[in-house]
Amino acid sequence: MMSAIRSAIGLSVGVLGLLALPVTAAEMVKTVQQGNVRAEMSYEKVPSEGLPAIQNLRLKISRSGQTLFNQAPPVDEYDRPLLDYGDPSDRQEAGFMVKDLDGDKEPEVIVDFFTGGAHCCTYSLIYRFNSQQNRYESINQSWGHVGYSLRDLNGDGRLEFESADNSFAYAFASFAGSGMPIQIWQYERGKMSEVTRQYPKLVYADATRWWNYYNESKTQDGEVKGLLAAYMGTKYLLGQQEDGWSRLRQAYRESDRQQFFQELEKFLKEAGYEG
């Protein structure tokens, strides 16, 4: 009997020992390079309930073989590299790239992160070489719910960030019913500038898109105020606000029209669309 008890105790201790073993972390390493600039992102994925946890996140940037940045990026505890989501082939270089953004022959390093949640949020850390101090320094650009596409929109050899105005989300409708007007950003020497008005053809196409969405939605008894708000945002960007208001007053005749118009006009003014 004592021998059986000892065997049972030994089995229990063995099982508990197995349960106490540390969970193995899978190391992830991704390297990208352009010219003499090479960047390496590394982190560990630890199995947990839901998405694996991320730990020991590190970014290393080398220029001409010399390591000038080798530390954890300044991100919150629960933020995750965007390259960790889904199939990397489905996204633009998986949210981690080395690109010359401002045409000065000095590539920048762009790392995208996701804060988690059903709709929000993404942001980019953009690292630039400071030649005077021989080091890399970064800026943080938020994209909210929408993310961005990186393209040369005007054929000048420089890349623009094409995104949308996240401030429109939930402003006049649910997230699904919210329209967000096109927004274009230009990076230059460590600063981001909003340059949407320099691309009237793209803004006009966006205005047409929101007006078409509105016409489709109204026939299906869908939310329309969020779509009309986005349309008006594009009309302001084009300097065609008078035409926009005329069309809006003819189109929207619900009982709350005056309140909606007042709130929308105030919103557009505060969001900088009257400038």
Side-chain angles (χ1 to χ4, degrees), residues 217-230:
S217 184
K218 71 177 182 179
T219 62
Q220 302 169 6
D221 296 326
E223 293 182 283
V224 298
K225 288 195 291 186
L227 305 177
L228 290 172

Side-chain angles (χ1 to χ4, degrees), residues 86-94:
D87 181 359
S89 65
D90 290 340
R91 294 188 308 281
Q92 177 178 283
E93 297 182 77

Side-chain angles (χ1 to χ4, degrees), residues 13-235:
V13 170
V15 170
L16 289 173
L18 288 174
L19 292 175
L21 287 175
V23 178
T24 302
E27 185 177 13
M28 311 296 292
V29 180
K30 171 85 172 182
T31 303
V32 289
Q33 182 167 353
Q34 184 181 82
N36 65 341
V37 177
R38 183 175 185 270
E40 179 184 284
M41 173 79 76
S42 63
Y43 56 93
E44 296 175 348
K45 296 173 67 173
V46 180
S48 62
E49 292 186 8
L51 291 172
I54 297 295
Q55 64 182 25
N56 297 327
L57 178 66
R58 198 163 195 86
L59 175 65
K60 181 165 70 173
I61 304 175
S62 303
R63 185 176 182 276
S64 300
Q66 181 184 9
T67 299
L68 299 179
F69 186 94
N70 187 10
Q71 57 187 272
V75 301
D76 290 338
E77 178 182 358
Y78 297 103
D79 294 355
R80 301 164 61 87
L82 200 59
L83 62 85
D84 192 49
Y85 286 85
D87 181 359
S89 65
D90 290 340
R91 294 188 308 281
Q92 177 178 283
E93 297 182 77
F96 181 39
M97 63 197 101
V98 179
K99 296 282 187 183
D100 180 5
L101 297 176
D102 49 13
D104 64 354
K105 310 301 182 183
E106 184 65 52
E108 283 73 37
V109 177
I110 306 99
V111 194
D112 297 330
F113 290 90
F114 178 54
T115 63
H119 301 299
C120 210
C121 287
T122 61
Y123 64 91
S124 298
L125 294 180
I126 304 176
Y127 288 82
R128 171 181 180 266
F129 177 62
N130 184 325
S131 58
Q132 294 181 341
Q133 299 183 24
N134 195 40
R135 67 184 182 92
Y136 278 86
E137 51 196 19
S138 68
I139 63 168
N140 184 318
Q141 176 67 30
S142 174
W143 306 111
H145 303 76
V146 291
Y148 68 91
S149 295
L150 191 58
R151 297 189 291 147
D152 181 1
L153 296 176
N154 57 7
D156 66 351
R158 298 172 60 188
L159 297 169
E160 286 79 36
F161 292 80
E162 183 178 348
S163 186
D165 191 342
N166 183 71
S167 68
F168 282 72
Y170 299 107
F172 298 96
S174 67
F175 180 79
S178 294
M180 288 172 269
I182 187 171
Q183 201 170 67
I184 299 170
W185 294 83
Q186 181 80 62
Y187 176 91
E188 185 170 11
R189 299 177 184 272
K191 295 182 180 180
M192 289 284 264
S193 302
E194 202 248 295
V195 294
T196 313
R197 286 180 170 86
Q198 297 178 21
Y199 297 85
K201 290 183 179 179
L202 293 177
V203 177
Y204 181 82
D206 199 46
T208 302
R209 181 166 67 101
W210 292 119
W211 188 255
N212 290 339
Y213 283 165
Y214 157 70
N215 283 313
E216 293 172 5
S217 184
K218 71 177 182 179
T219 62
Q220 302 169 6
D221 296 326
E223 293 182 283
V224 298
K225 288 195 291 186
L227 305 177
L228 290 172
Y231 170 73
M232 283 302 300
T234 59
K235 294 296 279 185

